[in-house]
Amino acid sequence: MQKLNIAIPQDAVWILNKLNEGGHEAYIVGGCVRDSILGRMPQDWDITTSALPEETKTIFDHTFDTGIKHGTITVVLHHENYEVTTYRIDGEYADCRHPDEVSFTKKLNEDLLRRDFTMNAIAYHPKEGFRDPFHGQEDIAAGIIRGVGGPAKRFQEDALRMLRCVRFSAQLGFAIDPETWAALCANTALIQKISAERIREELQKLWLAPFANKMPLLWESGLLAQIDATLSASLIANSQTLLEEISLCPKDNILRWCIVLQHYPIGEVKGFLKGMRLDNHSLKRISLLLEELSA
């Protein structure tokens, strides 16, 4: 049985075991499994289980409802929060972001099918090993980002996944599977349904990502043009210089925004940043630095 590169925290193992003792399946799942396989330290340890939310709440002393409508309960243990979510099947996504309704299931594979990419659709239990019906481990080993099932459907369900796809490529240095890339390019207009706050969060992670050579995927796909046509034209015209400068720039959010926006019309920068819902402190610092650069 393959071993994870990073040990699961004992508290997370304890939660898995308590759910198992209650007669339920339980696994760590998603990004924490992916990062562990890659030898990266997970930020969160998410757990998926066959237990219904009400059953989860009866097993643990300290919980609170995070998103009980969607099956998520937060278990608090030693001042740490662990999200425990019931296996579920998502309904329609009318807003291209959240399912209108969910139904609970007892089948792990049905829960994994609703996830975005194969590398994020892997479950793991210390005693059972990996549950990986969509071959996510193989894609991680090959450095490929591949949509689970039909990638077009995954993007149409949640349009933010398109930005996440590009951001993961730049963070991990992975290539995007051709079918997934074609589906992304065909659905870029759906990004307009996503809130500016969520788009900004993904862009900021992208600006800070270590594989700057993957950043052009943002505008080559047509995705950036749907977010802001002026910025897209600016980065396309200055792509080579941008990549060189951003690779040399300290990993600082303000400085990276300045590099990205240095050829943006100076009189329109504040409007763009306000539209991205950037905090006022960062907005002022970026605007001042860009004004000095253009002086």
Side-chain angles (χ1 to χ4, degrees):
M1 181 177 69
Q2 185 175 348
K3 298 292 185 181
L4 286 174
N5 295 324
I6 298 176
I8 305 172
Q10 285 305 303
D11 284 352
V13 174
W14 184 83
I15 292 171
L16 294 177
N17 290 336
K18 289 292 288 184
L19 287 163
N20 294 156
E21 290 167 10
H24 310 291
E25 294 180 3
Y27 301 87
I28 61 166
V29 70
C32 61
V33 180
R34 176 201 69 230
D35 286 345
S36 295
I37 292 171
L38 289 167
R40 297 156 58 99
M41 178 60 72
Q43 295 182 342
D44 302 294
W45 296 88
D46 293 331
I47 294 167
T48 188
T49 180
S50 61
L52 295 171
E54 295 77 12
E55 293 172 324
T56 298
K57 291 171 73 171
T58 64
I59 292 172
F60 302 101
D61 293 331
H62 302 290
T63 68
F64 60 89
D65 297 352
T66 310
I68 193 166
K69 177 183 175 184
H70 294 129
T72 302
I73 300 295
T74 294
V75 175
V76 183
L77 191 62
H78 299 136
H79 308 292
E80 294 288 336
N81 294 343
Y82 296 87
E83 287 194 353
V84 180
T85 303
T86 302
Y87 299 164
R88 75 184 203 210
I89 300 170
D90 292 344
E92 295 299 315
Y93 287 69
D95 65 353
C96 290
R97 181 72 185 106
H98 306 97
D100 299 339
E101 59 183 10
V102 304
S103 56
F104 300 132
T105 177
K106 293 296 183 182
K107 297 180 179 179
L108 173 63
N109 283 15
E110 291 182 338
D111 180 83
L112 296 177
L113 178 60
R114 70 177 176 82
R115 297 173 184 270
D116 53 5
F117 308 112
T118 59
M119 66 181 184
N120 295 332
I122 308 169
Y124 178 85
H125 190 290
K127 295 178 182 176
E128 299 179 30
F130 292 98
R131 297 286 296 273
D132 184 14
F134 305 107
H135 309 289
Q137 294 173 88
E138 293 177 18
D139 284 340
I140 289 173
I144 293 172
I145 300 171
R146 188 189 313 273
V148 174
K153 180 174 174 57
R154 300 285 82 83
F155 293 140
Q156 289 159 10
E157 289 171 339
D158 181 354
L160 189 66
R161 289 169 172 167
M162 294 184 288
L163 263 181
R164 283 167 54 82
C165 186
V166 173
R167 187 253 296 175
F168 277 132
S169 180
Q171 283 184 327
L172 303 174
F174 283 15
I176 300 175
D177 155 68
E179 183 183 356
T180 302
W181 174 250
L184 191 160
C185 294
N187 287 279
T188 54
L190 295 178
I191 199 66
Q192 295 182 18
K193 294 178 177 286
I194 301 300
S195 71
E197 290 87 350
R198 297 310 300 270
I199 290 174
R200 183 202 66 233
E201 289 173 7
E202 289 297 326
L203 289 179
Q204 288 184 161
K205 291 176 182 177
L206 177 59
W207 306 153
L208 295 168
F211 294 92
N213 62 308
K214 299 293 186 180
M215 196 178 293
L217 296 173
L218 180 64
W219 48 89
E220 290 171 358
S221 63
L223 195 55
L224 185 57
Q226 296 289 343
I227 296 169
D228 189 275
T230 301
L231 181 59
S232 178
S234 169
L235 296 190
I236 290 171
N238 299 281
S239 181
Q240 189 58 45
T241 303
L242 167 76
L243 298 184
E244 293 172 0
E245 292 179 345
I246 212 159
S247 297
L248 296 171
C249 177
K251 198 173 181 180
D252 177 272
N253 194 43
I254 300 295
L255 295 179
R256 295 289 176 98
W257 268 115
C258 287
I259 289 175
V260 169
L261 292 171
Q262 63 182 310
H263 300 292
Y264 201 88
I266 191 65
E268 300 174 23
V269 166
K270 286 184 180 180
F272 169 77
L273 294 175
K274 284 181 180 177
M276 285 287 100
R277 304 292 191 270
L278 202 70
D279 65 277
N280 286 331
H281 176 69
S282 298
L283 189 154
K284 289 177 181 176
R285 287 188 63 198
I286 294 167
S287 298
L288 284 171
L289 286 169
L290 288 174
E291 286 171 6
E292 289 184 14
L293 280 173
S294 64

